[in-house]
Amino acid sequence: MKIVVWNLKGGQGKTVLSLSIALLRGSYVVTNDTYSPIEKVLPEGHALQMDPDDDLPQVPDDIELIYDFGGYPDARVIEAVKQADAVLIPIIYESPLEMQVTINALEEVERYTDKIVVIANKCQGDDVEKVREVLGQFYDYPVLEIKKSTAFSKAIEQKKSMRELMESSKLLEFHYKKPLAQLEELLSFITE
Ligand SMILES: Nc1ncnc2c1ncn2[C@@H]1O[C@H](COP(=O)(O)OP(=O)(O)OP(=O)(O)O)[C@@H](O)[C@H]1O
Ligand SMILES: [Mg+2]
């Protein structure tokens, strides 16, 4: 299984989503971003930081690989998108105008795949509805919600999955329930 997490727009949660999924499922993460924290967070051998002239790694389909590409043009993004079982496009809602870069990213990606899932990320209030409303004018890709939560940064900081953090504390068990449920919903959506 290959998952690409991408948006041309920076800071939308590509790395946070990639790492949260990998910590939960033991997946491998590959990035083209030299400043990425993935090697510090994931177990030895589970993260690969490609050099600018490296080809995509060749791995069998039964290995779960997540591509966390930086928000800049790179021919390898297209290559990975063509091979991907799912392409996740995270977007943090600010305003309809701010969504233009994400729409450009969608237009680029949909030339190569239809396995696109938009992730309305770091949601508060009715953000997910607003994302659905704006994108719905152009596309009918599924839009799934991931709420704003400290669970994501805590898991990454502590190099543990959200589930492990919840098992270690009654308080966190309650507090992280919703974000974990949303992450699992997303995973069952793309793996079904
Ligand atoms: N669901 C969430 N809840 C709370 N904070 C979040 C959530 N998703 C992302 N963030 C925060 O948003 C910021 C940007 O996330 P991240 O670094 O993953 O974005 P990115 O798309 O990988 O950025 P870049 O383009 O620089 O690689 C981080 O500070 C992260 O902690
Ligand atoms: Mg990143």
Side-chain angles (χ1 to χ4, degrees):
M1 167 116 187
K2 294 190 182 73
I3 301 168
V4 171
V5 186
W6 191 67
N7 191 338
L8 265 174
K9 192 169 162 69
Q12 303 300 293
K14 298 181 290 282
T15 302
V16 161
L17 270 180
S18 302
L19 286 175
S20 304
I21 296 172
L23 287 166
L24 201 58
R25 291 168 64 91
S27 342
Y28 296 84
V29 178
V30 177
T31 186
N32 61 347
D33 181 355
T34 357
Y35 302 105
S36 169
I38 63 168
E39 285 186 341
K40 293 192 191 83
V41 175
L42 296 177
E44 182 79 38
H46 278 241
L48 174 66
Q49 249 159 313
M50 292 186 292
D51 283 332
D53 53 359
D54 281 346
D55 289 330
L56 295 183
Q58 300 293 317
V59 293
D61 279 342
D62 59 337
I63 287 179
E64 187 163 290
L65 199 61
I66 303 171
Y67 287 105
D68 168 26
F69 286 114
Y72 40 83
D74 182 324
R76 291 171 297 188
V77 176
I78 303 302
E79 187 117 352
V81 161
K82 286 180 185 166
Q83 301 172 6
D85 300 286
V87 178
L88 309 182
I89 313 275
I91 171 168
I92 297 175
Y93 182 79
E94 287 171 272
S95 69
L97 197 62
E98 286 292 327
M99 287 176 66
Q100 191 53 53
V101 180
T102 302
I103 290 169
N104 295 347
L106 274 166
E107 271 172 10
E108 178 67 14
V109 165
E110 70 175 357
R111 291 159 62 192
Y112 308 99
T113 185
D114 58 0
K115 297 170 189 153
I116 295 173
V117 181
V118 176
I119 313 297
N121 187 28
K122 208 176 169 181
C123 279
Q124 291 178 286
D126 60 351
D127 285 350
V128 66
E129 303 307 332
K130 291 178 188 149
V131 172
R132 284 192 181 124
E133 195 182 314
V134 177
L135 289 183
Q137 297 168 28
F138 313 98
Y139 307 102
D140 54 5
Y141 296 120
V143 179
L144 301 187
E145 179 185 36
I146 298 278
K147 279 192 176 298
K148 178 180 180 179
S149 168
T150 51
F152 297 95
S153 52
K154 278 280 182 268
I156 291 168
E157 223 174 86
Q158 305 204 11
K159 306 175 189 179
K160 291 198 170 112
S161 70
M162 272 183 227
R163 197 182 291 123
E164 287 172 296
L165 293 180
M166 288 166 75
E167 280 162 8
S168 69
S169 151
K170 279 278 168 211
L171 175 64
L172 298 185
E173 184 184 329
F174 178 76
H175 203 54
Y176 293 173
K177 204 172 187 156
K178 182 81 188 183
L180 178 61
Q182 291 183 328
L183 197 59
E184 286 180 327
E185 213 169 293
L186 159 65
L187 286 163
S188 58
F189 186 84
I190 61 175
T191 55
E192 80 191 9

